[in-house]
Amino acid sequence: MSDDKPQNKKPHSDRRKVVTSAAIGQFVEWYDFVVYAYTASLIATLFFPDENRAVSLLATFSVYAVSFLMRPLGGLLFGHIGDRLGRRSVLAVVILLMGGATGAIGLLPTFQSAGVLAPILLIVFRLIQGLSAGGEAMGSNALVAEYAPSDRRGSYVGFTYSFANLPAIFAALFILLLTNVLSPEDYQGWGWRIPFLLGGVFSLVGLYIRSRIAESPVFESTRAEQGVSRSPLREAVQEYRQSMVFAFAMSSLAGLGFYTLTGYFSTYLRESVGLSSNAALISNSIALTVAFFAMPLGGWVSDHIGRRRVMMWSAAASALVAVPAYLLAGTGSLGGAVAGQSVLALTLGVFFGPFGIAILELFPTHVRYSGSSIGYNGAYLIFGGTAPLFSTWLVAATGSLLAPAVYMAVLAACVFFAVMRMPETYRRPL
């Protein structure tokens, strides 16, 4: 059954409210998740002290990666509940879990005062963050897509999803402010906790916003017609395996690209290239601003010429510019870092724009949350969560600052060929 009829019964004000709440909710959710990456250098010192700096960083990024182990479980759990009971309530629980875990990290003792208990507790709360993140992206995007006009779904979801970039920008600039206002001793002693504690406060704001929106009209229509699946997870696995494979392929580049830009590049510029902390954070913020504007553009173009064409050529462009972008970023200057990251953020951002809606359009309403979450979170576990860890290891193992670029170029080329085989979905009814 087409989604157009139930969607068009909703007034424009309802759509605007849902898009606004989803966008702000994404900001809150992903701020909590990325703030860890921007304090990685200090966390390495406070929680994983070691004479070998590379070992400390690898331990820190291992904890960053381990939270992604919970993302597939979160996707399975929240996807199942979301397809059975609705999207709205699940998204409220998701944001509370994330905010609570982030605030708790801001209260943790360090290795110096608590010994091995400190990194253990850090891992526990990162796992809770991972569980929460597993239910966020596909859930909030599904809610927006199911409200959006059928010919503007790419624009709506691309705009909403672009707000996942803003938390990284805000976190980078906020930490930049703290490190310049506070003395190094104060920032290392207690100032680093402020961004985490602020994340807990943000989650309450997000909960309030999400409590004021109505359930998806497409889901309500499906429920009214008794079309809700009793076992959406099993049905998705049995009947939509190919769709999940395509979702996995698209999400692999999205995961590697997003977490390279938000979770790795600032540390790479500081630790490997030798750029100052201020310059690295400024450069990263500018690049993510480029991605923020590129994502709605990619979604808008895909509404007119199709998802597949936009993703194919943006994946190809990402493969071609990866090495030159890293070469520019590795020159050691602020201008080079901005130029290199921004070129990569542009090509990847155009890919990010339609990829979220393309995944959702592969699945019908009664298994959409479950099916999309499986492919999405599986890829983010393998390629997203390991992006900082594996990239750091590649540089250490090869001695080449271009090793992470080659890795990204190869994956982007593989995704180009995978998307070539994917069915076009932009005119499919939800």
Side-chain angles (χ1 to χ4, degrees):
M1 178 178 179
S2 172
D3 62 310
D4 295 345
K5 186 175 180 180
Q7 279 180 291
N8 289 335
K9 287 183 178 179
K10 292 292 180 179
H12 180 70
S13 60
D14 283 358
R15 288 176 180 162
R16 186 172 56 215
K17 185 186 298 183
V18 167
V19 170
T20 302
S21 65
I24 296 176
Q26 289 243 25
F27 175 90
V28 174
E29 182 79 14
W30 296 114
Y31 168 82
D32 291 351
F33 206 69
V34 303
V35 70
Y36 180 92
Y38 285 103
T39 53
S41 293
L42 184 55
I43 286 175
T45 300
L46 297 176
F47 289 86
F48 303 99
D50 193 282
E51 292 182 2
N52 188 327
R53 183 61 176 172
V55 171
S56 293
L57 285 173
L58 286 171
T60 302
F61 283 132
S62 294
V63 174
Y64 183 86
V66 79
S67 68
F68 283 77
L69 293 173
M70 296 296 285
R71 286 189 65 152
L73 178 60
L76 295 176
L77 173 64
F78 295 122
H80 176 82
I81 297 173
D83 281 333
R84 291 278 293 134
L85 304 178
R87 290 55 163 124
R88 177 178 172 272
S89 298
V90 169
L91 292 172
V93 173
V94 160
I95 205 166
L96 268 183
L97 279 176
M98 179 64 82
T102 303
I105 290 175
L107 298 172
L108 286 180
T110 63
F111 187 90
Q112 184 178 10
S113 59
V116 72
L117 179 63
I120 290 175
L121 290 174
L122 179 63
I123 291 170
V124 168
F125 290 120
R126 285 292 294 163
L127 290 174
I128 295 174
Q129 285 185 317
L131 183 73
S132 168
E136 170 60 31
M138 289 299 104
S140 60
N141 286 344
L143 186 65
V144 171
E146 291 169 356
Y147 260 94
S150 59
D151 61 344
R152 298 179 62 191
R153 293 194 298 249
S155 300
Y156 273 59
V157 174
F159 172 77
T160 303
Y161 201 40
S162 71
F163 275 71
N165 292 284
L166 294 186
I169 299 170
F170 177 83
L173 295 178
F174 186 50
I175 291 170
L176 179 64
L177 173 66
L178 288 176
T179 53
N180 281 274
V181 170
L182 299 176
S183 67
E185 294 76 20
D186 285 342
Y187 180 70
Q188 182 167 329
W190 55 269
W192 68 271
R193 300 179 183 276
I194 298 174
F196 290 96
L197 296 174
L198 187 61
V201 176
F202 280 165
S203 70
L204 298 178
V205 176
L207 176 64
Y208 171 76
I209 293 168
R210 288 187 168 175
S211 68
R212 297 175 62 84
I213 60 175
E215 184 54 80
S216 154
V218 175
F219 178 82
E220 292 284 27
S221 178
T222 300
R223 179 159 55 187
E225 296 172 2
Q226 298 183 334
V228 174
S229 174
R230 289 190 174 185
S231 183
L233 176 59
R234 183 175 62 187
E235 188 173 341
V237 172
Q238 290 177 346
E239 299 185 21
Y240 298 94
R241 292 177 188 172
Q242 187 179 57
S243 294
M244 286 192 286
V245 170
F246 285 126
F248 180 91
M250 289 184 282
S251 299
S252 64
L253 179 57
L256 176 62
F258 182 78
Y259 285 103
T260 294
L261 291 172
T262 62
Y264 174 65
F265 236 115
S266 62
T267 301
Y268 169 80
L269 292 172
R270 289 194 305 268
E271 301 286 343
S272 299
V273 176
L275 212 60
S276 70
S277 178
N278 285 1
L281 290 172
I282 291 171
S283 169
N284 205 233
S285 299
I286 293 172
L288 290 172
T289 303
V290 171
F292 173 77
F293 288 106
M295 288 173 68
L297 174 64
W300 178 80
V301 174
S302 77
D303 281 334
H304 293 80
I305 67 172
R307 322 297 185 208
R308 187 173 62 181
R309 192 180 302 178
V310 175
M311 289 188 294
M312 278 175 53
W313 296 116
S314 56
S318 297
L320 292 173
V321 306
V323 171
Y326 269 79
L327 280 171
L328 280 170
T331 59
S333 67
L334 175 59
V338 170
Q341 283 189 94
S342 295
V343 168
L344 198 55
L346 176 62
T347 59
L348 289 170
V350 173
F351 181 88
F352 297 159
F355 119 90
I357 185 60
I359 291 177
L360 296 168
E361 289 169 341
L362 290 169
F363 301 92
T365 302
H366 64 288
V367 297
R368 179 166 298 125
Y369 202 159
S370 299
S372 61
S373 293
I374 294 172
Y376 172 85
N377 286 301
Y380 268 60
L381 165 64
I382 296 172
F383 296 100
T386 62
L389 173 65
F390 191 58
S391 296
T392 300
W393 178 83
L394 282 174
V395 172
T398 65
S400 172
L401 297 182
L402 295 180
V406 174
Y407 171 44
M408 178 173 288
V410 171
L411 181 63
C414 291
V415 171
F416 169 82
F417 290 108
V419 173
M420 281 182 66
R421 301 178 60 85
M422 190 183 82
E424 183 52 77
T425 60
Y426 79 116
R427 291 179 177 171
R428 281 187 183 181
L430 291 184

